[in-house]
């Protein structure tokens, strides 16, 4: 693999990591929104 | 040309020089922006309330779904994209991204967007999103595009569905009349928009053997059809106001915009052959502005509180009730 190809591969990997992280955050926030006030009211 | 054909057949990302921007280009971001915008406008005017986080999630799913359809289109059409001047720099056609890779990328994103829509937003918008992607890929790209002069007319249904998806994401309803009127507007807008572009670059389509109207029927027929569809578009654009779904801001935008669109179409119809390309590009450019203006007016009217209060209880319903006693309410159509 040439240095340019390695650089592009790194860029793709970081972009993919960013997208996956964004998706995890999105699912987490949507879960909070859907649970709403029930998060605070759940039995401990 | 031979080199390009060989290039887009090359597989394997490991030694690829494709960067994140090439993958973004694979999603056809300009098409995506129009799709997202029309869906957003429909979400704003739809009855009901959707949490902003869920609304943004729905828009992301629509954007990714549209992008996936674009990637699958580039996978299938790499051979003709490489021939046409307008499309030969696309990532697959230019060989930056392999065909197999584009197929896997597009199919993964398509599945991802539909499942995310189903589990995070709702099943009705998810089914509509899946239908839209399937129609664009299987019906338009794989079947109609290379086989009939009506390719973009029928295929336009895929591009017209996003307002229905956006509406369904908020209201949960798939068969309210207003989103289908918006569908009709985009459906009738598609032929003059694409035929104007095809007139300006008909040699491109002829070389690629894509049976666009100017290639198959010639310039005169295409210009006639553009005028006919623009008249139908103008009629459909004012219908939401005539049926009581929208207010005066939308009505004025639709009336003035449609008059200008029709004037440009007639100018193209009258243009001498040597001025045809310029006149066609004017129609094409204005058509984009027209659609943005129409949907901006629709959304703005609702946001500033000048839209009719009950978008689903309309003059149309009253007319039906008067004519058909016992007819169901409009919201159940």
């Amino acid at each position: 693999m040439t240095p340019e190809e390695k650089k592009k591969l790194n860029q793709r990997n970081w972009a993919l990591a960013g997208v996956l992280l964004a998706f995890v955050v999105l699912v987490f926030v949507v879960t909070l929104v859907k649970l709403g006030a029930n998060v605070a009211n759940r039995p401990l | 040309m031979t080199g390009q054909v060989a290039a887009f057949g090359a597989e394997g990302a490991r030694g690829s020089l494709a960067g994140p921007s090439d993958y973004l280009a694979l999603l056809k971001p300009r098409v995506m922006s129009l799709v997202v915008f029309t869906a957003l406008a429909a979400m704003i005017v739809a009855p009901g309330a959707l949490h902003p986080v869920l609304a943004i999630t729905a828009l992301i799913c629509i954007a990714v779904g549209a992008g996936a359809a674009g990637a699958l289109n580039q996978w299938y059409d790499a051979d003709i994209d490489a021939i046409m001047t307008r499309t030969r720099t696309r990532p697959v056609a230019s060989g930056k991204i392999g065909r197999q890779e584009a197929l896997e990328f597009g199919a993964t994103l398509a599945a991802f967007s539909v499942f995310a829509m189903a589990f995070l937003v709702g099943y009705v918008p998810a089914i509509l999103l899946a239908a839209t992607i399937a129609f664009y890929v299987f019906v338009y790209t794989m079947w109609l595009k290379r086989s009939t002069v009506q390719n973009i007319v029928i295929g336009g249904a895929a591009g017209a569905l996003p307002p229905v998806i956006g509406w369904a994401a908020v209201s949960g309803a798939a068969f309210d009349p207003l989103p289908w009127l918006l569908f009709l507007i985009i459906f009738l807008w598609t032929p003059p928009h694409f035929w104007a572009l095809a007139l300006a670059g008909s040699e491109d389509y002829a070389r690629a053997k894509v049976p666009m109207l100017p290639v198959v029927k010639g310039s005169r027929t295409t210009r006639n059809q553009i005028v006919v569809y623009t008249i139908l578009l103008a009629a459909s654009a004012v219908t939401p106001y005539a049926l009581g779904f929208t207010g005066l801001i939308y009505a004025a935008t639709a009336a003035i915009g449609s008059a200008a669109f029709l004037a440009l179409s007639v100018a193209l119809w009258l243009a001498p052959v040597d001025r045809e390309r310029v006149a066609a590009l004017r129609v094409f450019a204005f058509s984009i502005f027209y659609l943005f203006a129409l949907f901006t007016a629709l959304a703005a009217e609702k946001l500033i509180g000048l839209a009719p209060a009950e978008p689903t209880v309309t003059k149309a319903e009253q007319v039906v009730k008067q004519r058909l006693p016992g007819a169901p309410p409009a919201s159940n159509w």
Side-chain angles (χ1 to χ4, degrees):
Chain A
M1 192 180 289
T2 66
E4 184 62 16
E5 285 171 351
K6 195 163 168 39
K7 186 181 153 197
K8 290 288 183 185
L9 180 63
N10 272 337
Q11 285 178 355
R12 291 199 299 270
N13 288 343
W14 278 109
L16 186 60
V19 168
L20 288 175
L21 183 66
F23 182 67
V24 169
V25 171
L26 181 70
V27 172
F28 177 70
V29 175
V30 169
T31 306
L32 289 185
V33 166
K34 283 186 177 270
L35 290 175
N38 294 322
V39 173
N41 294 337
R42 73 192 187 283
L44 296 172
Chain B
M1 165 52 212
T2 313
Q4 278 170 329
V5 172
F8 66 66
E11 311 296 349
R14 220 164 272 280
S16 166
L17 284 172
S21 60
D22 296 311
Y23 285 87
L24 189 66
L26 194 59
L27 302 179
K28 295 191 179 176
R30 272 187 295 182
V31 176
M32 196 196 274
S33 66
L34 203 62
V35 163
V36 169
F37 184 71
T38 55
L40 172 65
M43 288 173 80
I44 290 170
V45 295
L50 188 66
H51 192 285
V53 170
L54 297 180
I56 292 168
T57 305
L59 283 175
I60 292 171
C61 290
I62 293 169
V64 173
L72 291 169
N73 172 273
Q74 289 189 51
W75 154 70
Y76 193 80
D77 280 345
D79 55 343
I80 53 179
D81 281 352
I83 296 169
M84 292 173 60
T85 312
R86 186 175 67 86
T87 54
R88 67 183 173 204
T89 56
R90 285 179 176 174
V92 184
S94 64
K96 281 183 184 165
I97 294 176
R99 279 192 78 180
Q100 184 66 25
E101 220 182 309
L103 169 63
E104 290 162 2
F105 185 70
T108 305
L109 287 186
F112 208 67
S113 63
V114 171
F115 281 109
M117 183 73 103
F119 295 124
L120 302 179
V121 182
Y123 292 118
V124 176
I127 291 167
L128 288 166
L129 182 61
T132 306
I133 298 169
F135 191 88
Y136 186 74
V137 175
F138 297 114
V139 179
Y140 170 68
T141 302
M142 293 185 176
W143 177 26
L144 300 172
K145 186 171 176 179
R146 300 176 194 231
S147 63
T148 170
V149 76
Q150 295 297 321
N151 49 14
I152 53 101
V153 178
I154 306 166
L161 274 167
V164 185
I165 305 171
W167 181 284
V170 175
S171 70
F175 297 107
D176 285 341
L178 181 54
W180 287 100
L181 283 175
L182 300 178
F183 169 91
L184 183 67
I185 290 168
I186 303 176
F187 185 75
L188 293 171
W189 167 89
T190 307
H193 170 76
F194 275 107
W195 283 337
L197 181 66
L199 265 182
S202 58
E203 314 82 28
D204 239 12
Y205 287 106
R207 266 205 316 278
K209 296 188 172 59
V210 178
M212 290 297 279
L213 193 62
V215 177
V216 179
K217 303 278 185 184
S219 159
R220 188 72 269 162
T221 304
T222 307
R223 294 200 228 177
N224 295 344
Q225 292 286 317
I226 286 175
V227 173
V228 169
Y229 271 94
T230 310
I231 292 168
L232 294 173
L233 171 64
S236 73
V238 295
T239 305
Y241 175 74
L243 295 179
F245 292 113
T246 63
L248 282 170
I249 292 177
Y250 173 85
T253 309
I256 296 166
S258 299
F261 199 157
L262 192 57
L264 287 171
S265 296
V266 171
L268 171 61
W269 189 66
L270 295 170
V273 177
D274 61 327
R275 300 285 300 158
E276 180 187 88
R277 188 181 150 80
V278 175
L281 286 175
R282 276 196 191 127
V283 171
F284 174 74
F286 184 80
S287 68
I288 298 169
F289 170 76
Y290 172 83
L291 202 65
F292 267 108
L294 221 52
F295 279 79
T296 301
L298 187 74
E301 200 173 62
K302 177 71 183 283
L303 291 172
I304 60 177
L306 290 176
E310 292 283 342
T312 56
V313 179
T314 65
K315 286 179 194 168
E317 185 188 25
Q318 290 163 11
V319 169
V320 170
K321 274 186 175 169
Q322 283 164 6
R323 290 182 186 168
L324 298 169
S331 55
N332 291 339
W333 290 3

